[in-house]
Every structure is written in C-alpha cells, then in structure tokens.
Amino acid sequence: MRTDIFARLDREPEPPKIETPRMSRHRIALFGGTLAFYLAIVIAVLMSSWLVTLDWKVMLFRPYQQWPGIHAFLDYYVVLGQRGPTAVMVACWLGWRSWRQHTLRPLLTLGASLLLLNATVGAVKYGLGRLGPHYATQVGSAELFAGGDIFPSGHTANAVVTWGILAYLAATPRARRYLSAMSAVVSLGVGLTTVYLGTHWLSDVVLGWAAGLLILLGLPWVEPLITRAENWIFAARERLSAHSRLVPSPPVAAGGPRPVPAGPPAVDDAAAQSPVREPVAAGGRQAAVITAAGRPRAHTAPPAHPSHAVRSERTPVTPAGSRRPPHADRAPRGGTAPARPVTGG
C-alpha cells in the first residue's frame, strides 16, 4: 500500500482547472511603471536629494518616543514581515491547497517568488551598503557604501511578496480582491512599523514596497518554468512508484534449483532421522556410521519404551536380508544375556 502524500492525492476528485495569470498589457504597463519608480528612488538616494533630507527629518522626529504606548504591540506586529515565520505560515496554507488540488503549483510559486526576492533585494542591499538610522554617522548623508544592508527594506518587500502571493494564487476574482486588500494593509503596516521603530529610513520602506510589487507583477514570466518543474517532479514520482512495485528476483535456470538465502547449512529431516551407512565390508565388520552431516553419530540414550523402538533404531529390511552385522557380545532384544565366565581368583 502506498503511504506517501501522492497516494492521498490520487484518491481525491479532480478539481476545476485554475487559470494561470498571464502577462497582459495592463500587467506589463504596471510592471514598467513600478520599475521606473524603483529606479527613481535609487537615483534620488544616490544623489542625496530631498528624499534623504526627509529620511533624516523622520528619523530625528523619533516616532517611537512620540507614541510609546503602541511600542509593545508593534514589536509583535513587525514579525508579519520576517521571512522565516511568514514563509512557514503561508507554506502550510499553500501545502494544504496543493494536497487538495492535485498540483504543486502553489508551493512552487511561493518558492520561486522567495528565491527572486532573495536574489534581487539581496543584491541591491549589499551593493549599495547603506547604514540604518541607528548607525548613521553624518547628519544629512545618505550613508551609502558603508557596509550596511537595509536599503531596500527586507521586511517590507517580504511582506508584499509573502502575503501578496495568496492574492496571486486566488481561485476566484472575489477572493483575489479581498486578499489583495489584506496584503496591501499588512505590508503597509509592516513598512511603517519599521520606520516607527527606527530600524529603517523612510526611503528604505518605499523601495521595499516597489521591490516586492515588481516580483509579484513579473511572476507570470516564471510560470512556464514552474509548470516544467511540476511536470518533472510528477514524472520522477511515477518512475519511483513503478520501480518500487517491481520485486527483483535472481534468474533461475530451467529445471534448476532455486537459490536459498545464506545461512547455516540445513539438515534434511529424513536424513537426520535415517543415517546413511556404508555397505558391510568383507569379513562381517561394518564401516563407520556416517550421519548426513558427514560426522560419526554419537551414542544416544535408549528409548523410553524398550518394547517400541523408534524409527531410527529399526533395522532396515531389504530383499537380501538384514544389513546390520551380528554382534556376538550383544544380547537379542527381549532375551537374557548368556553367562560369562568369571576370571580371576
């Protein structure tokens, strides 16, 4: 019986096909506009323009000191932008959908989006090397190329991608609208929370929103690779299932004995009960009694009932007569032994 998760999937009814988002003209226009906005933010920070001045004004305002009552709540709320916890929560939901819908596309789409997020946002972070507000050294400076890693905001971009993927994979237009609004509110709140806590500049958050939106808008270009990966995984699973159903057996020659498993040599019951004896040699003496194992049989105790001899003690009878040699010094069964002469004084 198959016990893997695919066995359960095979017993489920086939769900209706879910339409895969395509790169329409409207989506391409949104992608181009978001990309232009992304580049404009980067250039404005590189040139230390008015945006950097605004960053410093917000930082010196110190929002966490202006409204200290919500600090404890926002410390927990910002976790909705951390990659580890959010990825686990969303992966559990998408894993259940994959299990119900006979497809790996939800999980593969989440993996592809997180991979793109790490590659794009990580490259810009370490390439520009901007320091955060708590580590700034010169008032009014953009704090670029100083070994930092906060521009763009990873919390904000991760919130946009992780919660936005639920809207991207929604099965109905109504669910897509509700999930899009939910992901927008969560990502907006996570970004502003990082500004409140003083861990990011305002421009970091704005660029994080743009970076996450670019990944969501560009996912239809990755859909062919996701479909190819899903087909390859299911094909590999079928090959493994077919291989596990085949029971390998060693070839056996026609009419030949079948191989037995390795182990101590077994002794046949009939051979163990009927020892093989050599024919009687000339002169009336019998050769050594050889057992089936090739060793002399040790003397055994007489049976419990002398009147009923066991099978192994019976004399084999052949047409030519008994093959057991006579023993002059042994009394016949049931008789009395002859008197022997007493020697000595």
Side-chain angles (χ1 to χ4, degrees):
M1 180 183 295
R2 297 168 58 190
T3 57
D4 58 334
I5 186 175
F6 295 107
R8 176 65 178 170
L9 292 178
D10 291 341
R11 291 194 294 269
E12 293 288 338
E14 285 289 340
K17 297 298 182 181
I18 299 176
E19 183 181 358
T20 303
R22 299 185 180 277
M23 209 64 186
S24 60
R25 293 182 179 179
H26 178 68
R27 186 179 289 267
I28 292 177
L30 286 177
F31 183 86
T34 307
L35 181 60
F37 179 76
Y38 183 95
L39 295 176
I41 296 296
V42 173
I43 294 173
V45 173
L46 287 173
M47 298 178 61
S48 297
S49 64
W50 61 269
L51 186 57
V52 176
T53 304
L54 180 61
D55 287 339
W56 277 97
K57 287 182 178 180
V58 173
M59 192 272 286
L60 295 175
F61 180 70
R62 291 180 173 84
Y64 58 89
Q65 292 182 355
Q66 304 297 327
W67 303 284
I70 61 175
H71 196 292
F73 169 74
L74 294 180
D75 277 338
Y76 292 99
Y77 182 81
V78 78
V79 176
L80 295 177
Q82 289 185 359
R83 191 161 307 164
T86 56
V88 171
M89 289 188 289
V90 175
C92 291
W93 167 254
L94 295 181
W96 183 83
R97 282 192 55 185
S98 297
W99 180 69
R100 291 290 297 173
Q101 295 176 355
H102 298 259
T103 177
L104 295 177
R105 178 174 169 261
L107 288 176
L108 293 177
T109 305
L110 174 64
S113 62
L114 293 180
L115 183 61
L116 289 173
L117 178 67
N118 291 335
T120 56
V121 174
V124 178
K125 273 177 174 286
Y126 291 103
L128 296 178
R130 191 180 191 186
L131 293 176
H134 292 313
Y135 303 97
T137 58
Q138 184 179 356
V139 177
S141 171
E143 302 293 338
L144 293 172
F145 309 109
D149 57 351
I150 62 145
F151 182 70
S153 170
H155 272 69
T156 306
N158 182 73
V160 173
V161 172
T162 306
W163 301 111
I165 204 70
L166 299 178
Y168 178 83
L169 295 172
T172 61
R174 183 179 181 181
R176 186 175 295 111
R177 286 194 299 268
Y178 285 139
L179 291 174
S180 298
M182 183 204 71
S183 62
V185 170
V186 172
S187 59
L188 180 65
V190 169
L192 294 179
T193 299
T194 60
V195 176
Y196 168 86
L197 297 175
T199 57
H200 279 287
W201 307 99
L202 181 61
S203 58
D204 299 342
V205 174
V206 175
L207 194 66
W209 285 330
L213 187 58
L214 282 175
I215 293 175
L216 290 178
L217 291 173
L219 274 179
W221 281 325
V222 191
E223 286 290 344
L225 295 178
I226 294 175
T227 303
R228 193 176 306 171
E230 182 183 15
N231 294 336
W232 182 86
I233 292 174
F234 277 110
R237 163 233 174 179
E238 291 298 333
R239 289 194 298 267
L240 291 176
S241 300
H243 180 72
S244 62
R245 287 194 296 265
L246 298 177
V247 180
S249 58
V252 179
R258 292 185 176 277
V260 296
V267 181
D268 188 37
D269 293 337
Q273 294 181 3
S274 302
V276 180
R277 296 176 175 86
E278 295 292 336
V280 180
R285 301 298 296 176
Q286 185 186 15
V289 179
I290 305 301
T291 63
R295 298 178 180 177
R297 180 183 297 275
H299 180 69
T300 58
H305 301 282
S307 59
H308 301 282
V310 296
R311 183 181 182 89
S312 60
E313 294 295 330
R314 295 175 185 174
T315 304
V317 179
T318 59
S322 175
R323 298 171 59 186
R324 185 186 297 276
H327 295 277
D329 55 347
R330 181 180 299 178
R333 295 180 182 274
T336 58
R340 297 184 179 180
V342 181
T343 59

